[in-house]
């Protein structure tokens, strides 16, 4: 009580003193101030007052601007299309914008202090934890993709981007919903998988179909070939050769379609082996000798004698490209010359040879506008070409794709009405085999060399083949070559093993695709039988599946013969594995 009275007393005293001082000041001023000075002072006061008013206005406007900026920031923060979170080290929410609360489906107030990890799916939670740790540990910008567990219907895919804040105990996170994109992406992947499965089914179907179509065609080709060599009158011979040609054309089309689908499905692989370029070029030319003779066109092979005779190449595919080009040249040339040029581009490379091939003709030529079109699948120069010359429009596409596998490309130079030149260059790995050595050991595969060998001395030949027509053809051809020979027939692999054991033949001709037991398994089982270690087993293969030939050798077969079986091949094989010769080989 006393204390408060003292305080009041002190305040009263202070007030009295202050009033006294003010009186003294006023007295002093009136004493010293002149009239002029007073006017000046008033002026200064007025200026100060205006100054203060102006400063006040500025202050008010600055405050207004600050308020507006804050409002804008809040608007931006809230209506930003991406969600924003301010998180602690532990992942607790300090601040969140409207988009963030909408994305998580919770009121903002309820999100504050709750853990963001709580909204993330169990599968992606570890990803989120690593992401958060890295932001605080490495202090760099980080991103990751996680799935939110927020909607009942479907998962929400979000992209998180985070960075440490000015306060190192906090971080800023931006969250973007990319569910729509992710769903489209997943659908695309599914569609791609389905398309790939469909493509595989198509290739498998084509491979099967081609086998089914080839088998009867092989029969037609084989038997018409045999009949053509018999005594026929002129019109019968004509009919027969028409059937033979048609069947050959059909088989060619089937092969083209199959090759095309295999290349499309990425299933075609090159089979590299020692290749004789001289032999290959001559063989290709030989194939067209008859046709060009009939059309009175000159067919010339210009092979530079300096090129290496042997290189590492896929002989079948290289031949296929050249056959395609020459077959087109023959088709589209009415008179003049077709030339196959084979030359080498000199190089200092020890391991590779650069070989140039060119097929020139003096045919109808190609209009410049069509130069690119002809390399596209199923494309011909114009629709009348198809009617006039036939063809699938696949030949050049396949040739180009095969060359692509060899690291090369088909080029064309053509003058409409004057002729065309199709050319390409391939780098082949050099072979160790020298030209002289090859001709010495006779491995050039020249059929003529067999004619000088001793007579065939097979007593029993086992033919394992499920298809009746093919069996009949093989039997007929064998009877022609060795009339006195016993031919034992087996209808599948199991039957083949049984007949082998019972009959002990001198050679086995083995089909590959057969029911119950295929040719690979049957050959491998026969090879294990006592006394069968050295019996020649020859595969009869359509050669349509990749690695078929290699597999034949792997299972212990000695050689293979392409289907359709033609007499020249059979003669060659029979001589090569002639009993006496084989024995001599083993003695040596
Ligand atoms: P096709 O099976 O129709 O011959 P290709 O792909 O081999 O298919 O050829 C496509 C087209 O290119 C042919 O239809 C033809 O119009 C044109 N062509 C190809 N080679 C020649 C050539 N030597 N001379 C003229 N035109 C050619």
């Amino acid at each position: 009580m006393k204390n408060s009275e003292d305080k009041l007393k002190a305040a009263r005293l202070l007030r009295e003193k202050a009033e006294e001082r003010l009186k003294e000041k006023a007295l002093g001023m009136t004493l010293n101030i002149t009239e002029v000075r007073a006017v000046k002072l008033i002026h200064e006061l007025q200026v100060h007052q205006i100054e203060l008013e102006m400063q006040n206005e500025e202050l008010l406007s600055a405050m207004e601007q600050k308020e507006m900026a804050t409002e804008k920031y809040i608007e931006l923060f809230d209506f930003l299309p991406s969600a924003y979170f301010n998180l602690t080290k532990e992942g607790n929410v300090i601040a969140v914008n409207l988009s963030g609360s909408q994305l998580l489906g919770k009121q903002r107030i309820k999100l504050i202090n709750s853990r963001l990890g709580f909204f993330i799916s169990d599968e992606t939670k570890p990803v989120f934890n690593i992401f958060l740790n890295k932001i605080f540990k490495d202090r760099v910008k980080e991103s990751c993709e996680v799935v939110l567990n927020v909607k009942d219907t479907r998962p929400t895919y979000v992209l998180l981007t985070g960075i440490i804040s000015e306060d190192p105990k906090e971080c800023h996170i931006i969250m973007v919903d990319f569910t729509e994109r992710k769903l489209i992406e997943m659908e695309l992947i599914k569609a791609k998988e389905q398309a790939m499965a469909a493509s595989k089914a198509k290739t498998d179907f084509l491979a099967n179909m081609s086998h089914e179509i080839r088998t009867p065609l092989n029969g037609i080709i084989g038997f018409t070939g045999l009949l053509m060599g018999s005594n026929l009158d002129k019109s019968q011979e004509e009919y027969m050769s028409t059937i033979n040609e048609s069947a050959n054309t059909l088989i060619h089309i089937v092969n083209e379609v199959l090759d095309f689908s295999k290349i499309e499905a990425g299933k075609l692989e090159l089979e590299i082996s020692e290749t004789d370029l001289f032999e290959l070029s001559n063989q290709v030319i030989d194939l067209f000798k008859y046709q060009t003779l009939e059309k009175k066109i000159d067919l010339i092979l210009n092979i530079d004698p300096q090129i290496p005779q042997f290189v590492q190449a896929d002989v079948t595919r290289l031949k296929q490209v050249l056959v395609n080009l020459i077959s087109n040249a023959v088709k589209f040339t009415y008179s003049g010359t077709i030339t196959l040029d084979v030359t080498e581009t000199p190089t200092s490379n020890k391991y590779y040879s650069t070989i140039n091939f060119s097929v020139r003709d003096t045919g109808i030529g190609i209009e410049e506008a069509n130069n690119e079109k002809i390399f596209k699948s199923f494309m011909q120069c114009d629709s009348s070409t198809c009617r006039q010359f036939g063809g699938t429009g696949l030949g050049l596409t396949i040739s180009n794709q095969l060359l692509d596998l060899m690291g090369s490309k088909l080029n064309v130079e053509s003058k409409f009405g004057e002729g065309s030149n199709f050319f390409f260059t391939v780098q082949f790995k050099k072979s160790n085999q020298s030209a002289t050595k090859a001709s010495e050991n006779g491995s050039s595969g020249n059929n003529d060399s067999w004619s000088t060998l001793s007579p065939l001395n097979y007593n029993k030949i086992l033919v394992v083949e499920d298809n009746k027509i093919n069996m009949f053809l093989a039997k007929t051809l064998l009877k022609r070559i060795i009339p006195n020979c016993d031919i034992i027939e087996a209808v599948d692999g199991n039957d083949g093993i049984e007949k082998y054991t019972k009959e002990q033949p001198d050679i086995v001709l083995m089909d590959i695709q057969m029911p119950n037991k295929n040719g690979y398994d049957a050959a491998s089982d026969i090879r294990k039988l006592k006394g069968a270690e050295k019996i020649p087993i020859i595969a009869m293969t359509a050669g349509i599946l990749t690695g078929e030939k290699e597999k034949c050798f792997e299972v212990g077969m000695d050689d293979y013969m392409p289907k359709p079986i033609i007499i020249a091949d059979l003669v060659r094989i029979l001589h090569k594995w002639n009993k006496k010769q084989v024995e001599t080989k083993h003695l040596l």
Side-chain angles (χ1 to χ4, degrees), residues 430-441:
K430 282 183 181 167
S431 157
N432 296 328
Q433 195 173 354
S434 68
T436 31
K437 195 178 150 213
S439 40
E440 267 167 20
N441 68 18

Side-chain angles (χ1 to χ4, degrees), residues 132-147:
L132 202 62
N133 278 341
K134 271 188 145 185
I135 293 175
F136 285 101
K137 202 170 139 246
D138 301 342
R139 294 166 179 267
V140 286
K141 194 169 153 197
E142 286 292 333
S143 336
C144 72
E145 283 179 16
V146 295
V147 181

Side-chain angles (χ1 to χ4, degrees), residues 328-329 331-332 361 364-366 374 379-381 385 390-397 420 422:
N328 275 348
K331 194 155 75 171
F332 297 107
D361 67 54
I364 62 170
I366 299 159
I374 55 169
M379 282 286 183
Q380 300 181 320
C381 282
T385 310
T392 53
L394 282 177
L396 292 180
T397 312
S420 315
F422 284 87

Side-chain angles (χ1 to χ4, degrees), residues 338-567:
I338 295 170
T339 315
L340 168 61
D341 283 304
V342 188
T343 55
E344 186 185 20
T345 304
T347 156
S348 53
N349 194 318
K350 271 201 291 187
Y351 306 105
Y352 288 91
S353 304
T354 308
I355 309 290
N356 312 302
F357 298 86
S358 135
V359 176
R360 276 181 289 132
D361 67 54
T362 53
I364 62 170
I366 299 159
E367 278 176 285
E368 214 182 321
N370 289 329
N371 268 3
E372 289 204 355
K373 189 174 140 189
I374 55 169
F375 290 113
K376 296 206 171 108
S377 321
F378 308 107
M379 282 286 183
Q380 300 181 320
C381 282
D382 58 67
S383 53
S384 64
T385 310
C386 185
R387 264 173 274 131
Q388 199 183 341
F389 299 100
T392 53
L394 282 177
L396 292 180
T397 312
I398 293 171
S399 302
N400 220 357
Q401 284 167 329
L402 291 175
L403 287 175
D404 186 49
L405 290 176
M406 299 177 203
S408 176
K409 171 177 181 288
L410 199 54
N411 301 290
V412 61
E413 277 170 6
S414 185
K415 264 205 173 151
F416 191 50
E418 288 186 20
S420 315
N421 179 16
F422 284 87
F423 56 98
F424 60 92
T425 298
V426 186
Q427 263 207 338
F428 295 110
K429 212 167 168 205
K430 282 183 181 167
S431 157
N432 296 328
Q433 195 173 354
S434 68
T436 31
K437 195 178 150 213
S439 40
E440 267 167 20
N441 68 18
S443 67
S444 65
N446 188 348
N447 290 347
D448 296 344
S449 55
W450 300 112
S451 58
T452 57
L453 292 174
S454 52
L456 295 166
N457 42 23
Y458 295 98
N459 295 321
K460 275 186 191 174
I461 299 180
L462 171 62
V463 183
V464 191
E465 166 69 77
D466 64 315
N467 183 277
K468 278 188 190 154
I469 300 170
N470 284 346
M471 173 63 90
F472 186 42
L473 179 61
K475 255 170 54 183
T476 315
L477 294 176
L478 285 169
K479 275 280 171 203
R480 282 230 163 163
I481 304 166
I482 325 169
N484 302 325
C485 176
D486 252 1
I487 294 158
I488 298 127
E489 300 174 38
V491 293
D492 61 28
N494 287 331
D495 194 23
I497 299 168
E498 211 174 282
K499 296 268 167 63
Y500 180 88
T501 319
K502 197 168 149 215
E503 303 283 348
Q504 300 287 309
D506 305 311
I507 188 167
V508 181
L509 303 185
M510 180 76 77
D511 181 30
I512 298 298
Q513 293 182 350
M514 286 184 293
N516 305 323
K517 185 167 255 178
N518 66 32
Y520 301 126
D521 296 343
S524 147
D525 288 355
I526 290 177
R527 191 56 86 218
K528 283 177 208 145
L529 295 174
K530 203 165 177 275
E533 298 86 0
K534 287 170 187 168
I535 288 296
I537 306 178
I538 315 297
M540 297 187 289
T541 155
I544 47 169
L545 301 173
T546 314
E548 208 171 61
K549 288 172 200 160
E550 286 78 5
K551 201 161 174 202
C552 291
F553 290 122
E554 249 169 53
V555 299
M557 296 198 218
D558 299 287
D559 215 333
Y560 62 87
M561 224 182 346
K563 276 183 174 178
I565 301 175
I566 51 168
I567 200 151

